[in-house]
Amino acid sequence: MKEKEIKNISKFLSLILRHAPETIHLQLDPNGWANVNELIQKCNEKGHQLDFDLLEEVVETNDKKRFAFNDDLTKIRANQGHSIEVDLNLNESKPNDFLYHGTVEKFLDAIKKEGLQKMSRQHVHLSKDIETAVKVGSRRGNPIILKINAPKMVANGFKFYLSENKVWLTDAVPSEYIEF
């Protein structure tokens, strides 16, 4: 399977499992899980050729580890990034170090005024390292990296969660905790 085809399937799965399961008439449970067999069947019905081996390859090779199977490989879900309401059963976790967020210049004025907002997603996404933040920011142009004073936020009562694929999540980051 070509890398481009894997990427296209990954993008389609992101749409289905994070934003619009109704696109293929798929029902997610309250925790965001989809039945693997149903997902494969409904993808194929909509013209997106998928079988279990290919699905497993997408999950295992996705560079951002966006998807996860349950223990017996009968269910799949996105690890984070949902715009639909799901309960990922995340446990609160406390970052000990600064975290980072990649963005682009056109958003800086709003961020300085309002901080980082979750917008249409369930959480603000933060990275533990600058390299990851650069990759995220680069998707929209020349990246600008913001440094987040996570320890100070924790000390002031803000909650953080660490997703299965090691993305730090929080509800918002007020601008006073951001180094521009």
Side-chain angles (χ1 to χ4, degrees):
M1 174 87 14
K2 289 188 236 165
E3 190 175 322
K4 185 178 178 183
E5 290 175 274
I6 296 278
K7 189 172 187 171
N8 287 338
I9 292 167
S10 178
K11 286 182 177 185
F12 184 69
L13 289 175
S14 286
L15 169 70
I16 299 303
L17 297 174
R18 294 166 71 187
H19 308 295
E22 68 276 7
T23 303
I24 61 168
H25 307 291
L26 183 70
Q27 186 72 38
L28 303 181
D29 75 13
N31 303 116
W33 293 104
N35 177 287
V36 167
N37 291 332
E38 183 183 2
L39 173 70
I40 291 169
Q41 175 194 344
K42 292 190 176 201
C43 283
N44 285 318
E45 287 172 1
K46 289 291 185 178
H48 297 273
Q49 295 307 305
L50 188 62
D51 61 24
F52 182 80
D53 291 337
L54 181 54
L55 184 61
E56 192 172 37
E57 185 175 353
V58 169
V59 171
E60 289 176 7
T61 62
N62 185 269
D63 60 340
K64 296 178 183 169
K65 302 295 178 203
R66 283 201 166 119
F67 314 106
F69 286 114
N70 66 344
D71 290 338
D72 66 2
L73 307 178
T74 60
K75 294 182 180 181
I76 185 171
R77 75 174 179 185
N79 284 321
Q80 97 287 319
H82 298 81
S83 61
I84 56 174
E85 189 66 35
V86 297
D87 181 359
L88 296 174
N89 292 329
L90 297 169
N91 294 317
E92 188 176 344
S93 193
K94 294 184 179 175
N96 296 320
D97 300 311
F98 284 85
L99 297 174
Y100 302 91
H101 182 81
T103 190
V104 290
E105 187 174 356
K106 71 178 180 178
F107 298 124
L108 282 183
D109 287 340
I111 293 170
K112 287 177 182 176
K113 195 181 298 181
E114 302 167 21
L116 291 170
Q117 303 294 317
K118 57 187 173 181
M119 309 308 275
S120 64
R121 294 191 177 186
Q122 288 188 304
H123 299 98
V124 173
H125 295 195
L126 303 171
S127 307
K128 67 177 167 78
D129 57 68
I130 293 171
E131 296 79 28
T132 303
V134 167
K135 285 182 192 173
V136 171
S138 295
R139 293 183 305 192
R140 295 185 177 209
N142 190 24
I144 294 175
I145 306 308
L146 307 177
K147 187 175 180 181
I148 312 302
N149 192 334
K152 188 174 180 183
M153 287 181 67
V154 169
N156 289 332
F158 287 86
K159 294 182 180 183
F160 287 85
Y161 308 91
L162 188 58
S163 70
E164 284 186 41
N165 59 339
K166 308 301 180 210
V167 174
W168 284 97
L169 307 169
T170 191
D171 288 333
V173 180
S175 57
E176 62 260 30
Y177 300 101
I178 303 171
E179 288 183 28
F180 292 91

